[in-house]
Amino acid sequence: TPTALRSWEVRSGRERPRIDTGAAGPTPSQAVPDAAFSEDGSHVVTLSAGSLLLWRTADPSAPLFRHRVSASSTSELTLDLEGGVIRFTEGDNLASAVSTIALTGAEEGGRQGGSPFGAARFNQDGSRLVTTYPGRIELRDGATG
């Protein structure tokens, strides 16, 4: 729905915990969020209203990971937990690009109560990622994390 992700366990027929996608309510321009489940169904990534969120399906009380998406058009959302990445296409028919987001440490940070980062930016050529946390800054290699 425009405000939540609803899913059911096929074997039992029971609805799984709903995931609030953060939308205030449907508007004419608001679409149903894109969603992609992990292969085992333990996690789902949603893309709605400029926000990409990673959730644990058993406990959707808060997202494990949040990323702002600037493009007005996104598609082809995939979640590869084994590879540790989320991929999606940004842009339109004339100019589009595949974006890849590394998930290294997202699961552990959520389980251990680690603080979420305040901001993250790649340098111009994408070779380095700077992430800010309260009281510290991390610099990572864009290719290896």
Side-chain angles (χ1 to χ4, degrees):
T1 70
T3 59
L5 177 67
R6 298 176 65 191
S7 62
W8 286 260
E9 282 191 27
V10 176
R11 288 185 182 142
S12 68
R14 288 188 222 150
E15 186 174 5
R16 299 183 75 172
R18 290 182 189 196
I19 297 174
D20 179 8
T21 57
T27 63
S29 65
Q30 192 175 37
V32 174
D34 286 335
F37 286 86
S38 61
E39 203 169 298
D40 65 0
S42 64
H43 294 76
V44 64
V45 62
T46 61
L47 184 58
S48 175
S51 290
L52 183 131
L53 304 169
L54 175 66
W55 306 86
R56 188 178 303 114
T57 56
D59 178 18
S61 57
L64 297 171
F65 178 80
R66 181 182 313 266
H67 178 75
R68 232 34 199 140
V69 178
S70 60
S72 60
S73 176
T74 57
S75 61
E76 302 177 43
L77 181 63
T78 61
L79 172 58
D80 177 4
L81 278 185
E82 189 173 311
V85 296
I86 299 170
R87 288 190 177 90
F88 59 97
T89 303
E90 293 182 277
D92 55 30
N93 291 337
L94 297 175
S96 62
V98 175
S99 294
T100 301
I101 300 170
L103 296 175
T104 306
E107 178 71 15
E108 293 81 8
R111 283 196 178 164
Q112 297 172 358
S115 61
F117 62 84
R121 297 282 186 264
F122 280 99
N123 67 338
Q124 192 134 8
D125 67 2
S127 64
R128 299 283 184 262
L129 173 66
V130 176
T131 310
T132 62
Y133 295 85
R136 77 177 199 268
I137 297 173
E138 291 183 0
L139 177 63
R140 297 176 183 252
D141 184 290
T144 66

